[in-house]
Amino acid sequence: AMASLTNNHPIVVILGETQQTLFDATRNLREHPMLHQVPILLYSDDFSAHNLEYQQRLGVSAALNTPLSMSDLMHHLQLCCATSIS
């Protein structure tokens, strides 16, 4: 997955898996020289306040709870894209 991201230069990454996978993925993205500034949106049905704080320390743009509404997703995508383009 990381090779695909580096070859395609995404403007936003959306992640949703188990929490440990999310923590590993966000850390790997933030440590990668070509991807460290790409906005990351996370979605999960299991974010406690502690985990959300940890994700924010990793530089995640937004952590969204599921079920995710289309309007909520579009709102955060627009914010991320506007930030990454400017």
Side-chain angles (χ1 to χ4, degrees):
M2 190 65 83
S4 175
L5 288 173
T6 57
N7 291 334
N8 293 307
H9 307 289
I11 60 171
V12 66
V13 173
I14 301 173
L15 298 173
E17 291 283 330
T18 63
Q19 286 186 357
Q20 188 57 47
T21 301
L22 292 174
F23 294 150
D24 293 341
T26 56
R27 185 182 65 248
N28 290 339
L29 285 165
R30 290 296 164 235
E31 291 174 354
H32 194 282
M34 293 177 61
L35 300 171
H36 70 280
Q37 292 183 354
V38 173
I40 302 171
L41 293 180
L42 300 176
Y43 68 93
S44 174
D45 59 357
D46 189 22
F47 278 116
S48 68
H50 172 75
N51 290 335
L52 188 55
E53 289 173 12
Y54 181 71
Q55 291 293 344
Q56 289 170 341
R57 282 196 309 262
L58 289 174
V60 174
S61 301
L64 309 169
N65 288 325
T66 57
L68 190 60
S69 73
M70 185 57 77
S71 62
D72 220 12
L73 177 61
M74 293 305 295
H75 170 75
H76 287 287
L77 283 172
Q78 288 172 341
L79 290 175
C80 287
C81 291
T83 302
S84 68
I85 292 172
S86 39

